[in-house]
């Protein structure tokens, strides 16, 4: 304990949020330590779905293609009444991030792939089977007191910054004295995970059974798994309800028998709607479930944590490299919290629709939505309003300009300067970049600040150095929609500043300076 190792960033917690942060920071060549209480991956599948923007985040780590191979994509969703008749069915429209809009996952397999990704980086040290007992901040960072080997060995590590991704019960949040405001729903739910032995009709659809007697969720998951969720009704014994006999009674009512599935596990859990009173305390940041908890109805609990990591990690990297002042870190909560709040609002709304128990209200719901769903435009509008909001931050670390500001740039396929077909983010490579539709880069200080410049060329144009060809015109159409001819894009692909046809691009953020690759070389990663 006499020599305390120092790291750029310490990550407490190695679930989806923590492992994503470890990959993102490790890929940038930062010295990182990860502290995780458990020795192995948690074997129970908690999250069951994700979305295209999250897969786009994992693309930055070079793992998106490998992760996608273990996912199910393009499956429809159905809302069905007490007789099993659909009153609303939909397939999601892509939002432009370059991947399928809705993907079902098997969380243990997903986390294993993400952890294998971290193993590529010798600059990331893992301390599994270690519990963080205390975080004590000083002027240069924070010292973490750790207990390893079953509590028999005490260790200390020091880090300039700390990401606390240690779950909804977050001991770190408690040590910091940060409130976790909100509520826990009275009704608890039984989650039944199964292994598929023989497929049945509609096994490949996500179905919300909106039955007032007992609502249920029926969800396909990849790698031969399937999940059901049922509420614990008044008077039922939770311990009895997770026993095999009770679980089979629940599944039999869904038409499922032991010939079709085998039960892996059944557990009871609560739904929460909570948010930390603040997401930063000095050098410590809360992320994922440590910062917020939401009901599972639109499958965004894990996804929100991944977005937290993506937003925070590029800013920490810029501060540690001296590219930006540390005031940029104040924008983390400003940007992320409203988005989490809106996602949570939609999840709560959808949950109310699904779990309505009053028979008359259910009949009105079923009749009204079935009638509206017959009109394609209205059906799409209903699904859009109930599901994910746009990847947009109305406030935060942004400049001035058109309506493109604060939105995440779409990611089409492009041809790079050598004529190779690539995803746009792979060309941008996590750099500040000025995209423009003319051959002249506006002289607004961006070049001096080290930003790359790329001309966006229309489909069919011959590739050339310093430009990308927009293969199907998606990016140019998006620019026209937002009346923009040039954009300054942040390393996380959100638009910092934008200029229209009659305006010039605003200046770079105060303090932005280029740091060469020779000074801080990122790790070399490729798509699996």
């Amino acid at each position: 304990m006499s020599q305390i190792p120092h790291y750029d960033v310490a990550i407490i917690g190695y679930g989806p949020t923590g492992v994503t942060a470890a990959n993102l920071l490790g890929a940038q060549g930062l010295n990182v330590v990860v502290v995780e209480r458990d020795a192995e991956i948690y074997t129970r599948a908690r999250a069951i779905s994700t979305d295209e923007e999250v897969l786009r985040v994992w693309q930055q780590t070079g793992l998106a293609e490998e992760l996608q191979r273990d996912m199910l994509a393009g499956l429809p969703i159905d809302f069905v009444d007490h007789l099993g008749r659909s009153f609303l069915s939909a397939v999601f429209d892509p939002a432009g991030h370059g991947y399928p809009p809705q993907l079902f996952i098997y969380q243990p397999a997903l986390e294993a792939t993400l952890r294998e990704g971290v193993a590529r980086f010798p600059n990331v040290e893992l301390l599994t089977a270690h519990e963080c007992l205390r975080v004590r901040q000083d002027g240069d960072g924070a010292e973490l007191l750790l207990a390893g080997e079953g509590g028999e060995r005490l260790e200390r590590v020091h880090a300039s910054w700390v990401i606390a991704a240690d779950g909804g019960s977050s001991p770190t949040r408690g040590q910091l004295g940060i409130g976790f405001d909100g509520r826990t729903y009275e009704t608890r739910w039984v989650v039944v995970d199964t292994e598929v032995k023989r497929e049945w009709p509609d096994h490949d659809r996500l179905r919300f059974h909106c039955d007032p007697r007992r609502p249920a969720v029926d969800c396909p998951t990849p790698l031969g798994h399937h999940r059901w969720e049922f509420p614990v009704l008044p008077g039922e014994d939770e311990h009895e309800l997770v026993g095999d006999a009770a679980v089979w009674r629940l599944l039999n009512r869904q038409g499922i028998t032991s010939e079709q599935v085998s039960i892996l596990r059944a557990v009871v859990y609560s739904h929460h709607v909570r948010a930390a009173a603040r997401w930063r305390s000095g050098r410590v940041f809360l992320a994922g479930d440590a910062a917020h908890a939401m009901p599972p109805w639109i499958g965004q609990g894990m996804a929100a944590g991944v977005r937290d990591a993506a937003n925070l990690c590029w800013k920490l990297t810029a501060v540690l490299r001296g590219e930006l002042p540390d005031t940029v870190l104040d924008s983390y909560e400003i940007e992320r919290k409203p988005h989490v709040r809106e996602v949570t609002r939609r999840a709560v709304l959808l949950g109310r629709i699904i779990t309505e128990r009053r028979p008359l209200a259910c009949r009105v719901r079923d009749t009204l939505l079935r009638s509206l769903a017959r009109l394609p435009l209205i059906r799409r509008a209903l699904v859009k309003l109930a599901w994910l909001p746009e990847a947009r931050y109305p406030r935060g670390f942004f400049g001035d300009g058109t309506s493109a500001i604060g939105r995440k740039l779409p990611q089409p396929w492009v041809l790079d300067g050598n004529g190779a077909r690539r995803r746009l983010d792979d060309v941008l490579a996590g750099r500040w970049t000025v995209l423009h539709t003319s051959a002249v880069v506006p002289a607004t200080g961006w070049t001096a600040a080290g930003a790359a410049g790329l001309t966006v060329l229309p489909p069919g144009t011959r590739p050339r150095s310093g430009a990308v060809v927009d293969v199907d015109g998606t990016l140019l159409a998006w620019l026209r929609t937002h009346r923009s001819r040039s954009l300054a894009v942040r390393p996380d692909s959100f638009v910092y500043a934008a200029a229209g046809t009659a305006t010039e691009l605003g200046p770079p953020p105060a303090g932005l300076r280029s740091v060469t690759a020779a000074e801080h070389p990122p790790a070399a990663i490729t798509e699996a």
Side-chain angles (χ1 to χ4, degrees):
M1 294 176 65
S2 59
Q3 293 182 340
I4 301 177
H6 176 79
Y7 300 87
D8 293 320
V9 181
I11 301 170
I12 306 173
Y14 204 35
T17 302
V19 72
T20 297
N23 271 288
L24 293 170
L25 296 172
Q28 293 300 320
L30 299 181
N31 292 318
V32 178
V33 62
V34 179
V35 180
E36 167 57 43
R37 180 183 57 191
D38 296 328
E40 303 293 340
I41 292 173
Y42 190 55
T43 56
R44 186 169 73 82
R46 292 158 291 177
I48 55 174
S49 70
T50 191
D51 61 80
E52 59 188 296
E53 186 191 351
V54 169
L55 207 56
R56 185 176 176 182
V57 171
W58 287 328
Q59 180 187 332
Q60 298 174 41
T61 72
L63 297 172
E65 299 301 328
E66 184 175 354
L67 288 165
Q68 191 176 355
R69 283 198 290 269
D70 287 338
M71 298 179 181
L72 296 176
L75 304 185
I77 62 169
D78 261 336
F79 295 81
V80 302
D81 63 16
H82 66 290
L83 296 176
R85 300 172 304 186
S86 174
F87 60 83
L88 178 61
S89 182
V91 176
F92 297 106
D93 294 326
H97 298 291
Y99 295 97
Q102 178 82 358
L103 303 110
F104 295 99
I105 66 169
Y106 185 62
Q107 186 173 340
L110 179 142
E111 289 193 39
T113 299
L114 289 170
R115 290 192 181 194
E116 289 168 6
V118 174
R120 298 169 295 176
F121 307 121
N123 47 304
V124 179
E125 182 176 354
L126 300 181
L127 297 178
T128 55
H130 281 68
E131 186 173 2
C132 182
L133 302 178
R134 186 186 68 209
V135 178
R136 185 172 62 190
Q137 300 191 58
D138 54 42
D140 299 323
E143 181 185 281
L144 282 62
L145 178 63
L146 313 177
E149 299 179 5
E152 296 181 4
R153 176 183 172 85
L154 294 180
E155 303 173 46
R156 287 193 177 101
V157 298
H158 189 271
S160 297
W161 303 94
V162 178
I163 300 175
D166 48 349
S169 59
S170 180
T172 307
R173 187 185 63 235
Q175 292 173 36
L176 296 171
I178 298 175
F180 201 41
D181 304 324
R183 68 189 181 100
T184 296
Y185 284 85
E186 181 179 348
T187 300
R188 285 161 61 78
W189 286 71
V190 180
V191 177
V192 180
D193 286 312
T194 69
E195 186 172 11
V196 176
K197 296 160 63 176
R198 192 184 72 193
E199 295 176 347
W200 59 93
D202 293 333
H203 72 280
D204 57 350
R205 303 177 79 87
L206 168 60
R207 290 188 295 179
F208 295 107
H209 298 265
C210 305
D211 186 343
R213 295 167 298 182
R214 190 193 292 266
V217 181
D218 170 3
C219 182
T221 51
L223 303 177
H225 297 90
H226 203 95
R227 168 178 288 186
W228 283 267
E229 301 183 16
F230 307 93
V232 179
L233 300 182
E236 291 184 324
D237 185 311
E238 290 184 5
H239 299 290
E240 179 185 350
L241 208 55
V242 296
D244 281 357
V247 169
W248 279 121
R249 285 197 298 271
L250 292 171
L251 293 180
N252 290 163
R253 289 174 187 152
Q254 300 292 322
I256 303 300
T257 70
S258 59
E259 295 182 354
Q260 293 157 320
V261 302
S262 57
I263 299 170
L264 295 177
R265 62 189 64 84
V267 296
V268 177
Y269 75 104
S270 298
H271 293 174
H272 308 278
V273 178
R274 296 187 179 274
R278 50 196 169 93
W279 295 12
R280 177 183 183 181
S281 177
R283 298 251 173 180
V284 183
F285 297 87
L286 303 179
D289 289 351
H292 44 74
M294 66 182 70
W297 302 112
I298 56 177
Q300 283 295 298
M302 180 194 73
V306 172
R307 289 182 173 89
D308 292 347
N311 187 283
L312 184 56
C313 285
W314 81 264
K315 294 172 182 176
L316 285 172
T317 300
V319 169
L320 284 161
R321 290 179 175 173
E323 296 172 349
L324 284 171
D326 61 12
T327 53
V328 69
L329 299 172
D330 293 331
S331 66
Y332 163 59
E333 181 178 345
I334 293 171
E335 292 176 7
R336 288 292 304 132
K337 199 168 191 175
H339 191 267
V340 167
R341 188 180 295 119
E342 175 60 18
V343 172
T344 303
R345 186 193 68 80
R346 295 188 184 203
V348 170
L349 174 62
L350 193 66
R352 288 174 179 167
I353 294 173
I354 295 166
T355 62
E356 176 60 59
R357 303 293 303 278
R358 296 169 297 177
L360 178 58
C362 288
R363 286 197 295 273
V364 172
R365 173 201 62 198
D366 300 351
T367 302
L368 178 62
L369 290 180
R370 184 175 284 116
S371 298
L372 293 174
R374 294 191 179 102
L375 304 173
L377 289 178
I378 294 181
R379 182 178 67 246
R380 292 176 64 182
L382 286 172
V383 173
K384 185 176 181 179
L385 289 172
W387 216 253
L388 295 184
E390 180 186 6
R392 182 193 179 198
Y393 300 142
R395 295 174 53 244
F397 184 61
F398 301 108
D400 298 321
T402 70
S403 62
I405 291 172
R407 300 178 192 271
K408 194 157 191 172
L409 196 68
Q411 183 184 215
W413 287 97
V414 298
L415 301 181
D416 66 13
N418 297 316
R421 191 173 185 267
R422 302 170 65 188
R423 296 185 186 273
L424 179 62
D425 284 1
D426 292 336
V427 178
L428 301 183
R431 303 168 296 173
W432 282 91
T433 305
V434 174
L435 294 175
H436 45 91
T437 56
S438 65
V440 179
V441 180
T444 56
W446 286 97
T447 301
L454 284 175
T455 305
V456 182
L457 302 175
T461 305
R462 184 174 182 176
R464 66 169 187 258
S465 178
V468 292
V469 177
D470 187 11
V471 172
D472 59 6
T474 298
L475 188 53
L476 290 169
W478 191 85
L479 288 167
R480 287 192 297 270
T481 296
H482 295 288
R483 300 180 180 179
S484 303
R485 67 177 176 88
S486 58
L487 307 171
V489 183
R490 305 190 320 189
D492 62 349
S493 298
F494 279 83
V495 176
Y496 175 85
T501 56
T503 59
E504 289 191 359
L505 193 64
L512 179 65
R513 77 173 187 93
S514 173
V515 175
T516 65
E519 290 179 84
H520 290 284
I525 58 173
T526 57
E527 270 290 358

